[in-house]
Amino acid sequence: MREILDVCVKMDRFAERLYAALAEQCPEPGLATTFSRLAADEAQHTGWWEGLLEAWEHGLLPDLVNDTTGLAERLTDVHDELSRIDLGSIGELDVERMLALAARVEFFMIDPVFSELIELTEPAQSEHRHAAYQAHIQRLVNEIAARYPDDSLAALLASSLSRSWRDNRRLSVYATHDALTGLYNRRALYTHLPQWTAWSARYGHPLAVLLIDIDRFKDINDTHGHAVGDRALASIAQAMRHVTRASDLVVRYGGDEFAVIAPETGVSECVDLANRIVEAIRQVSVSADDGSAIPLTVSIGSAVAHDVAGSPPYRVESLLAAADQALYSAKSAGRDRAADPLTVERV
């Protein structure tokens, strides 16, 4: 994983140098300004990867992909291709070739892996990061569109660049999100939870994990059909988004089960969060095919990890097992409630 992040840093550093050289040599002031902004964008992108690289060095980032060797080789090939661009010859290019070179670089840099890495490493920042990169691509596309007719080859390539970015963005969302609810999926949970447990242990900050189960969901499906059940799942997901924080990771954990990773959340804050979710779901109902309202409730179990700074991280399995034990208590006590959070035992 370190090699992957290191190559990402190198690629964006090269792109920053390239755009700075284009800005310096471009004969058109307006386009030179755009190249300068693109260079600033790349400096910001480099900062993202450097931050993740630092997190890796401190043990706060796990391997995010199964075939790290294959991915590292693939990214290294892209970096080597970029490195063959001679920055010393930039001054010999006319405006058309400058734009073509910039487009070529961006085609290299829109590999789907970059979008997926952003999704997996920084869920609270992913929308901001994706929007920033979309704006970066659009700056170049707008410059090309302003110089060439809509039916020209250059305009077609610019449009393809923008479309490729959007398609790759969708691929990253499919890989990390649940299609029905739009929440993060189980894969994202098992990627982020090790990060948060490592962060919690390193800095001595509390971390809460909540498991949320829809009460008698099987009865809804059996009585009203799966289409109504799907509406119930989507409605509950939307309600949970409204009562959780931007820093909380909300996940569809299984068929009728959700999870929340809540950083900086001790026992009392966890109790408040769980009760907010219970109350929010009580306000939700879905309509059956005959128009009648189907009330919804959930049961919640939670676990809180909190230790002194520098402690070994809690095992992910221990956190989830404790939350599941508390969830069983909530169901045994009559459902439609949150059990008291359990403090995770170190094993």
Side-chain angles (χ1 to χ4, degrees):
M1 190 64 203
R2 190 197 188 288
E3 185 179 356
I4 291 170
L5 295 172
D6 189 52
V7 173
C8 290
V9 170
K10 290 178 180 177
M11 290 171 67
D12 276 325
R13 281 179 178 165
F14 178 85
E16 179 186 355
R17 293 197 303 273
L18 171 67
Y19 282 126
L22 288 169
E24 182 178 354
Q25 298 292 334
C26 183
E28 294 186 12
L31 182 56
T33 298
T34 296
F35 284 141
S36 181
R37 292 189 67 183
L38 293 173
D41 291 343
E42 295 295 352
Q44 184 182 52
H45 301 165
T46 300
W48 302 347
W49 300 120
E50 287 177 335
L52 294 174
L53 189 55
E54 182 178 1
W56 169 266
E57 299 288 1
H58 287 98
L60 302 180
L61 196 68
D63 283 337
L64 302 175
V65 291
N66 294 326
D67 183 15
T68 53
T69 300
L71 178 56
E73 291 175 351
R74 181 168 130 216
L75 291 178
T76 298
D77 288 342
V78 174
H79 175 257
D80 290 344
E81 182 73 19
L82 286 173
S83 299
R84 285 193 279 272
I85 297 174
D86 182 10
L87 297 183
S89 65
I90 295 295
E92 302 172 8
L93 303 180
D94 58 21
V95 166
E96 181 177 357
R97 291 181 179 178
M98 287 182 174
L99 286 169
L101 178 58
R104 181 184 174 201
V105 167
E106 293 304 334
F107 268 112
F108 281 128
M109 303 284 279
I110 59 173
D111 192 290
V113 67
F114 296 118
S115 290
E116 189 170 348
L117 283 173
I118 290 173
E119 288 285 346
L120 291 174
T121 53
E122 297 186 289
Q125 294 292 327
S126 63
E127 288 304 320
H128 167 72
R129 300 285 192 244
H130 289 306
Y133 200 79
Q134 177 66 56
H136 172 80
I137 292 286
Q138 199 60 44
R139 283 192 243 284
L140 179 59
V141 170
N142 290 344
E143 288 291 351
I144 295 173
R147 286 168 170 76
Y148 300 96
D150 292 342
D151 59 351
S152 67
L153 178 60
L156 174 62
L157 291 175
S159 176
S160 298
L161 175 62
S162 183
R163 180 173 179 176
S164 295
W165 161 251
R166 292 195 301 270
D167 289 347
N168 289 345
R169 170 78 176 95
R170 293 190 190 100
L171 287 174
S172 71
V173 170
Y174 292 151
T176 57
H177 288 71
D178 172 60
L180 174 64
T181 63
L183 300 178
Y184 282 94
N185 59 20
R186 193 182 185 97
R187 179 191 180 202
L189 174 76
Y190 280 100
T191 297
H192 288 293
L193 193 48
Q195 296 179 53
W196 282 118
T197 56
W199 169 87
S200 174
R202 178 176 178 80
Y203 297 107
H205 293 184
L207 173 69
V209 176
L210 293 77
L211 292 180
I212 300 100
D213 194 78
I214 305 175
D215 295 328
R216 297 185 174 88
F217 183 70
K218 184 176 184 299
D219 292 346
I220 296 175
N221 276 337
D222 290 347
T223 303
H224 302 284
H226 288 278
V228 174
D230 286 350
R231 292 202 295 270
L233 289 167
S235 297
I236 287 175
Q238 183 177 19
M240 289 178 60
R241 284 196 199 94
H242 288 160
V243 295
T244 52
R245 304 165 300 181
S247 58
D248 297 332
L249 188 79
V250 185
V251 174
R252 185 179 178 193
Y253 188 56
D256 61 346
E257 197 167 22
F258 300 85
V260 176
I261 303 175
E264 295 281 2
T265 302
V267 171
S268 62
E269 294 89 353
C270 181
V271 169
D272 290 342
L273 174 59
N275 286 333
R276 286 202 309 272
I277 294 173
V278 169
E279 182 58 34
I281 304 309
R282 286 173 182 159
Q283 308 305 314
V284 175
S285 65
V286 296
S287 297
D289 291 339
D290 62 5
S292 61
I294 303 171
L296 299 171
T297 63
V298 295
S299 300
I300 300 179
S302 57
V304 176
H306 197 185
D307 216 334
V308 296
S311 301
Y314 284 96
R315 295 173 60 244
V316 167
E317 294 80 4
S318 298
L319 275 168
L320 293 173
D324 195 52
Q325 181 182 342
L327 175 60
Y328 178 80
S329 297
K331 286 184 171 294
S332 297
R335 298 182 172 87
D336 187 23
R337 69 193 64 212
D340 291 335
L342 294 180
T343 302
V344 184
E345 297 293 333
R346 192 174 292 284
V347 294

